[in-house]
Amino acid sequence: MATGRTHRPATRSRGIPEATVARLPLYLRALTALSERSVPTVSSEELAAAAGVNSAKLRKDFSYLGSYGTRGVGYDVEYLVYQISRELGLTQDWPVVIVGIGNLGAALANYGGFASRGFRVAALIDADPALSGRMVAGLPVRHTDELEAIVADNQVSIGVIATPAGAAQEVCDRLVAAGVTSILNFAPTVLAVPDGVDVRKVDLSIELQILAFHEQRKAGEELDGAVAATRRPLPKADGAPAARPAGDERPGPDGDLPAVMPA
């Protein structure tokens, strides 16, 4: 068995909190964009804004890396790119298998960002015999019967599941039994894994539902604001009581009903 399966980024042994680990890719993305523009240094405020966090949290996160920047100068962009890449384990090669080569799996296979970030798609696997041998992103699709051999031959420690929900748990079990210890799950189901196996779930429908919730809330706030605007008292003229909107049946100052009645 390959030793690559037991590798873990140094973040855990160094005691970096999981919340900080989750933000490191955000910083790396922002830093990479700065590097591509040949920006040599960046302040904590500028980098925090680019990553979508506050600067105090960014400085705290970087303190776990032993990086504190230079007062009046900021952080060295290239050094931070290297430092975060090293902490995330991106300075080494990570062979990945994608299981489930439907529309989503094929799109993942064609994604060019994997290679530039240290991930090599070693094999594409699908249960459909009709797909076997078909070329996708320059790789032949292989049948699930070969899964265990593929994992062993390519020293795979990371598996990507893009199968239908009903097949995901079985695929997960086989990957784990073969030695895979990290799984990125795109199937719309929750996977059960033993201790020592990490699962990250990506559910696009859930993300859309969360966005729908926020859209509904914003629409409700706008409606509440519009209703509140119609209830504001009109300015008084020459000390006279303010006129009220049509349909207001509350008694006037002398107890009488307003002259304007609802239709």
Side-chain angles (χ1 to χ4, degrees), residues 4-257:
R5 287 189 199 131
T6 59
H7 285 175
R8 281 289 183 270
T11 52
R12 294 190 180 183
S13 61
R14 291 167 56 122
I16 298 179
E18 287 293 331
T20 296
V21 174
R23 287 189 290 269
L24 292 182
L26 303 180
Y27 302 141
L28 182 58
R29 180 174 61 189
L31 286 163
T32 300
L34 292 171
S35 176
E36 290 173 349
R37 303 203 314 265
S38 300
V39 176
T41 59
V42 62
S43 69
S44 59
E45 289 79 11
E46 292 169 333
L47 183 54
V53 303
N54 66 64
S55 58
K57 184 175 293 184
L58 177 143
R59 287 190 292 269
K60 180 67 173 177
D61 289 342
F62 284 0
S63 71
Y64 291 111
L65 308 180
S67 185
Y68 299 93
T70 303
R71 183 177 296 276
V73 176
Y75 294 93
D76 183 291
V77 170
E78 292 299 334
Y79 178 69
L80 268 184
V81 167
Y82 165 75
Q83 194 174 25
I84 294 176
S85 296
R86 183 188 62 191
E87 290 296 335
L88 291 174
L90 304 183
T91 55
Q92 57 183 298
D93 175 63
W94 292 102
V96 175
V97 296
I98 300 175
V99 185
I101 312 302
N103 291 334
L104 177 57
L108 292 171
N110 280 285
Y111 174 56
F114 288 138
S116 63
R117 289 167 174 81
F119 302 98
R120 174 174 55 85
V121 179
L124 308 176
I125 304 173
D126 198 278
D128 185 355
L131 290 179
S132 294
R134 180 177 300 180
M135 299 299 291
V136 176
L139 290 172
V141 177
R142 301 172 68 176
H143 194 267
T144 48
D145 289 346
E146 301 180 70
L147 185 149
E148 287 78 9
I150 291 170
V151 170
D153 293 345
N154 292 277
Q155 303 179 5
V156 173
S157 58
I158 300 176
V160 178
I161 297 178
T163 66
Q169 185 63 57
E170 180 184 355
V171 168
C172 175
D173 293 342
R174 290 181 61 185
L175 287 171
V176 171
V180 169
T181 50
S182 292
I183 292 174
L184 181 60
N185 177 32
F186 284 89
T189 187
V190 176
L191 299 176
V193 297
D195 291 341
V197 176
D198 295 314
V199 176
R200 299 287 295 181
K201 179 171 175 54
V202 181
D203 193 320
L204 302 180
S205 65
I206 287 179
E207 300 302 323
L208 287 172
Q209 289 168 29
I210 293 172
L211 290 175
F213 164 80
H214 289 296
E215 286 300 312
Q216 178 176 259
R217 186 176 65 176
K218 286 185 284 188
E221 290 172 350
E222 291 175 359
L223 178 60
D224 290 343
V227 172
T230 65
R231 292 177 176 171
R232 291 173 186 162
L234 300 176
K236 296 180 180 181
D238 301 327
R244 285 168 293 179
D248 189 343
E249 298 185 32
R250 292 173 296 173
D254 299 322
D256 58 329
L257 290 175

